Amino acid sequence: MSLRIRQYPDPVLREVARPVSAKDPGLKALAADMLAQMHASEGVGLAAQQIGETRAICVIEVPPDYDLDETGQPLNPGLPMPLILLNPVIQPVEDETGPHDEGCLSFPGLRGRIVRPLAIALAYDDLDGVHHECVVRGFAARVIQHEVDHLNGVLFIDRMSAAKRLAIKGRLARMRRDAAG
Ligand code: NI
């Protein structure tokens, strides 16, 4: 099944996702469809709101070569990929933050530098209903933060610097105009 990716300013992107249970009907099929759509769109993450759903589920797949430390060792060896998160909750585990250019499938062509914590504590349920708690570092931690933001109705434009937001004001206005037809 092909899902349509919702783009800014679709109001569903501002909705807060509601908790799900692994037993919810259709959830496994939804996860499979989201993964397929994410791959087709060449993204590394996709959250429910981006396909018009408001259930707390997101899918992530970080390529192995994006998940290495400075010595070339896997940064998050225990983390399954693709990663399907139900009801994810995150928290920074240290004060250190860093910038990185991010994109978003709901904002085609737009990229922006976003400062985020470099490591997070992640709690989530998997598709079998098993609860997991772990620490995630590096690029995977960034992608998870971006997707959990989506589940909370927060978009990466909200986290851009004031200067960057000013710079993209016209572009966002154009997206709103195009959507209004
Ligand atoms: Ni996004």
Side-chain angles (χ1 to χ4, degrees):
M1 184 176 101
S2 178
L3 306 166
R4 183 169 67 88
I5 299 227
R6 303 301 182 93
Q7 294 181 2
Y8 176 87
D10 193 315
V12 75
L13 294 173
R14 288 301 188 184
E15 285 189 34
V16 176
R18 61 179 196 280
V20 289
S21 156
K23 297 193 189 88
D24 287 354
L27 202 64
K28 283 196 166 98
L30 177 66
D33 287 344
M34 287 175 68
L35 266 179
Q37 185 60 58
M38 183 188 77
H39 289 143
S41 311
E42 298 182 347
V44 291
L46 189 68
Q49 283 89 336
Q50 293 183 280
I51 46 104
E53 284 271 348
T54 53
R55 294 189 262 179
I57 176 172
C58 61
V59 299
I60 288 161
E61 186 151 16
V62 172
D65 28 327
Y66 281 72
D67 194 39
L68 302 175
D69 67 16
E70 312 78 55
T71 67
Q73 296 304 307
L75 253 182
N76 301 289
L79 198 63
M81 284 293 162
L83 185 59
I84 295 161
L85 304 179
L86 310 184
N87 309 316
V89 176
I90 57 173
Q91 209 172 350
V93 289
E94 48 199 48
D95 290 339
E96 211 181 336
T97 60
H100 199 277
D101 258 19
E102 292 185 19
C104 179
L105 293 175
S106 296
F107 293 82
L110 182 65
R111 297 196 67 82
R113 183 176 174 270
I114 312 287
V115 175
R116 297 187 189 271
L118 299 181
I120 54 165
L122 167 69
Y124 69 99
D125 301 326
D126 67 22
L127 271 182
D128 296 317
V130 179
H131 187 74
H132 299 264
E133 293 184 14
C134 55
V135 171
V136 184
R137 297 174 192 284
F139 186 64
R142 175 171 293 274
V143 177
I144 291 169
Q145 289 175 77
H146 181 115
E147 301 313 326
V148 172
D149 270 354
H150 273 301
L151 296 180
N152 291 318
V154 174
L155 299 172
F156 81 145
I157 53 171
D158 306 337
R159 297 199 183 275
M160 288 175 181
S161 68
K164 176 72 179 181
R165 282 207 304 272
L166 195 62
I168 63 167
K169 223 175 148 181
R171 186 177 184 143
L172 294 182
R174 206 174 329 125
M175 287 183 81
R176 290 195 296 271
R177 259 197 322 272
D178 290 350

